[in-house]
Amino acid sequence: MKKLFLTVIAAGMTTASFCQKTFILSHQDKKGFFAASAGASVPVGRFASCSPTDNQACMAGEGFAFNVSAGYRMVGPVGLMIRGEQHRNTVNTGAMLSAISQSNASNWTAKADNWSVMTVMAGPYVSLPMGGRFSLDARLLAGRALAVLPNTSVAGMVGRSEMSVKTTGSQSTAMAYGAGLSVRYRLGLNTAVLLNADYSQAAFTFDNVTSTTTSGTSRPESATFSSDRTVNVVSASAGIAILFGTKYRPF
């Protein structure tokens, strides 16, 4: 009986020691992270503009955003990070038809591919503890962006003649600038969940954009031009982070 009692006491002490060690390690400061998140992409500014009088209106709608990032604190709360993000936004075909209707056209239909914008940016970030397992990250980033101007088409009747206008988009790269905030909650030794809010902007020039107009039985007419578009987008996402780089090890 005495041997059993001592065994139970030893097991209890071992369990308590293990729990204490796990608790301490789960609160140890981590200097680096890898993270992946997904969420909503919301166009703002001229990227969301549907004004028929604005020749740089992008008529973008809400879409999907996915991002991956990595960072490492180098001096106190300040570190460097790199972040890649992909946006896929719809085109407001209703706004395309509203612009066409001003030309006294009727019974028109519109189709459009999605906007595709990818950014890769790097820059400084600051990680501030908020008490307990929470922390707040703030970042300022700059880098490059690649955008694909979507293909669009509208077709309908003008009088008794059928007419269509098809525009073939193109790709363009530009400097990109961004800023964002993340709220992070530590789950355990090496994992955390996070909520992100980010803003990015890039001004593109799309060359070799081709517009082809067909009217009735006449021969199609094509024209090639350049188009300047500014992409402003806000993303709200949630994801998970893997933490690494323990500042010091007590065990």
Side-chain angles (χ1 to χ4, degrees), residues 2 21 31 52 55 58 61-62 86 97-98 100 132 156 160 209 233:
K2 182 178 180 181
K21 180 179 178 180
K31 299 182 71 174
N55 60 4
C58 297
E62 295 183 0
Q86 172 75 54
L97 293 176
S98 295
I100 291 295
R160 296 183 178 181
V209 180
V233 65

Side-chain angles (χ1 to χ4, degrees), residues 27-231:
H27 285 73
Q28 279 288 288
D29 187 26
K30 298 288 186 178
K31 299 182 71 174
F33 71 89
F34 296 105
S37 304
S41 174
V42 181
V44 294
R46 301 184 89 172
F47 191 45
S49 174
C50 295
S51 173
T53 60
D54 185 358
N55 60 4
Q56 293 189 28
C58 297
M59 300 185 181
E62 295 183 0
F64 176 79
F66 173 78
N67 64 74
V68 293
S69 58
Y72 192 81
R73 291 195 347 257
M74 305 177 73
V75 180
V78 181
L80 293 175
M81 69 174 294
I82 183 170
R83 176 184 171 92
E85 189 164 39
Q86 172 75 54
H87 294 265
R88 299 278 291 182
N89 294 82
T90 60
V91 173
N92 189 331
T93 54
M96 294 171 58
L97 293 176
S98 295
I100 291 295
S101 67
Q102 294 190 11
S103 300
N104 297 320
S106 61
N107 301 319
W108 283 70
T109 60
K111 296 180 180 180
D113 295 339
N114 291 331
W115 275 95
S116 177
V117 182
M118 182 176 68
T119 60
V120 177
M121 296 185 286
Y125 80 101
V126 178
S127 184
L128 302 174
M130 298 173 63
R133 294 174 179 262
F134 285 96
S135 63
L136 176 68
D137 293 354
R139 51 189 168 269
L140 290 174
L141 306 173
R144 298 293 292 177
L146 169 67
V148 178
L149 183 70
N151 299 323
T152 62
S153 65
V154 291
M157 301 295 295
V158 177
R160 296 183 178 181
S161 298
E162 184 177 349
M163 183 176 180
S164 66
V165 180
K166 296 181 179 181
T167 301
T168 302
S170 66
Q171 295 185 356
S172 177
T173 59
M175 283 295 299
Y177 305 93
L181 293 173
S182 295
V183 176
R184 190 164 58 195
Y185 178 76
R186 183 88 169 263
L187 293 176
L189 298 180
N190 299 300
T191 57
V193 292
L194 64 161
L195 297 175
N196 308 307
D198 284 271
Y199 170 81
S200 60
Q201 175 180 312
F204 298 94
T205 297
F206 295 95
D207 296 318
N208 300 316
V209 180
T210 302
S211 179
T212 302
T213 303
T214 303
S215 180
T217 58
S218 61
R219 188 173 182 176
E221 298 182 359
S222 298
T224 301
F225 58 94
S226 296
S227 178
D228 295 328
R229 304 293 177 93
T230 300
V231 171

